[in-house]
Amino acid sequence: MNALMVKDEALRIEALQQYEVLNSAPDPVLDDLTQLAAQICETPIAAVSFVGSDRIWIRSRIGMDSLELSLGSLPCETTILGDTVYEIQDARKDPDYAPDGIFLEGRAYRFYAGAPLTTPGGVNIGALLVLDRPARVLTPAQSSALSILSRQVINRL
């Protein structure tokens, strides 16, 4: 692991601790933002996730039950490396998830889109994400809305 990645991880873990988002009580406002993401993107699953040092924490969710997932089970780690919506149109063709797609709670999903959750200090701590079973693409309006909602998640925190 290179020094920049170690520094980024340390900053992310510090930011997660400052926001006190891991193992915290449900937040109806975050749930509303998550529901809006699912509705706008027309997906059965949406979640607010935070990337910890050893797992992905699910803080708010629609259409799934998991509260934590192993690293690598969702593309959140790739999402937080960028500053725009990260999209996998068909996970069955993605080298990290081929040939079956993204597995979550015993079901395969082909489509993923996630907007990074970026603190005012510029640290990406997680993602507002959506999943769908068929391969597809977000419209420009949906992609823009996902980014806007991700900023509102940070504002709520």
Side-chain angles (χ1 to χ4, degrees):
M1 185 177 289
N2 70 39
L4 185 57
M5 288 177 68
V6 171
K7 179 184 174 210
D8 288 348
E9 181 174 354
L11 291 172
R12 187 178 70 254
I13 300 307
E14 181 181 332
L16 288 172
Q17 291 170 347
Q18 288 174 350
Y19 278 101
E20 300 178 349
V21 293
L22 306 182
N23 296 319
S24 54
D27 182 336
V29 173
L30 287 183
D31 292 343
D32 286 348
L33 294 170
T34 304
Q35 179 70 45
L36 276 173
Q39 288 175 350
I40 290 167
C41 295
E42 300 175 355
T43 60
I45 293 184
V48 172
S49 68
F50 296 102
V51 179
S53 59
D54 62 346
R55 69 192 72 176
I56 299 169
W57 299 91
I58 306 298
R59 180 68 172 78
S60 175
R61 64 208 186 284
I62 299 295
M64 61 184 277
D65 295 322
S66 299
L67 294 174
E68 59 183 71
L69 300 165
S70 61
L71 292 176
S73 58
L74 290 174
C76 301
E77 294 142 277
T78 304
T79 303
I80 67 170
L81 296 177
D83 57 1
T84 60
V85 171
Y86 176 69
E87 193 169 336
I88 298 175
Q89 298 173 7
D90 188 347
R92 293 191 318 187
K93 297 177 182 175
D94 185 276
D96 292 330
Y97 297 98
D100 299 315
I102 299 166
F103 269 95
L104 179 65
E105 299 176 343
R107 300 188 97 178
Y109 295 88
R110 294 175 67 182
F111 174 75
Y112 167 92
L117 300 174
T118 307
T119 68
V123 178
N124 289 345
I125 58 174
L128 174 60
L129 65 98
V130 294
L131 289 165
D132 205 351
R133 297 202 56 168
R136 54 179 283 211
V137 178
L138 288 181
T139 67
Q142 289 170 326
S143 183
S144 175
L146 197 60
S147 291
I148 291 167
L149 289 171
S150 75
R151 290 191 297 274
Q152 295 310 306
V153 168
I154 289 293
N155 287 338
R156 175 59 180 174
L157 298 179

